[in-house]
Amino acid sequence: MKSDADDLARDLLQGAREALAYARGEADPSAYVVTAPEAISVAKVRQAIGDSQRQFAERVGVPVRTVQGWERKTKLDASTRVLIGMVAVDPDVVRKTLGSNDNADAHTASELEHA
C-alpha cells in the first residue's frame, strides 16, 4: 500500500528530474511547466545526503542562517522547494550548474545572467 510520503517522494523526484533536464537543455522549454512539491523537509534532505547545516549551506550557496530558517519553517516558497527538490535528486546540482573552482565546464553566474 502506497503512503502519502511515497506519492510525495515520487512526485518530488519526477519534478526534480524534469527541472534538471530543462536546465541541461534536454527538454523542450515550450512544453515544460515547473511544479514545486507542496512540502519538503530541508532537514531530511540535508541529513539524507550527510551534510551538516554548514555543509548544506555551502552546497546550495546560502548563509547557514538561511538553512536554519528553512528547517524551522513549515511552508517554504516555491523556488526554495524546487531547489531543495533538485538537491535531493542530485546533491551536486548547484555546483554542476553554477560552477566551482574545480569544474571548468560549468556555467559562471555571469554567463547565466547574460543568457
Side-chain angles (χ1 to χ4, degrees):
M1 183 166 105
K2 288 194 171 200
S3 69
D4 288 340
D6 291 334
D7 290 340
L8 175 61
R10 185 193 68 245
D11 292 347
L12 175 62
L13 288 171
Q14 180 60 32
R17 285 185 186 113
E18 290 172 5
L20 284 171
Y22 176 76
R24 293 178 178 152
E26 300 166 355
D28 176 8
S30 67
Y32 190 75
V33 176
V34 174
T35 303
E38 285 300 313
I40 190 164
S41 170
V42 175
K44 286 181 182 177
V45 171
R46 177 180 61 76
Q47 291 164 356
I49 60 179
D51 279 359
S52 66
Q53 287 180 333
R54 180 168 304 285
Q55 290 168 320
F56 193 79
E58 291 171 358
R59 179 182 300 280
V60 299
V62 299
V64 174
R65 286 186 184 261
T66 299
V67 172
Q68 292 167 341
W70 288 343
E71 291 187 1
R72 282 191 303 271
K73 288 184 179 178
T74 56
K75 179 74 172 169
L76 300 170
D77 63 78
S79 60
T80 301
R81 294 190 318 265
V82 168
L83 171 64
I84 302 307
M86 291 174 67
V87 171
V89 172
D90 182 354
D92 292 323
V93 67
V94 175
R95 180 188 55 80
K96 289 176 182 176
T97 304
L98 299 179
S100 68
N101 292 336
D102 63 339
N103 188 356
D105 294 331
H107 300 288
T108 65
S110 176
E111 289 173 324
L112 293 173
E113 287 173 2
H114 298 17

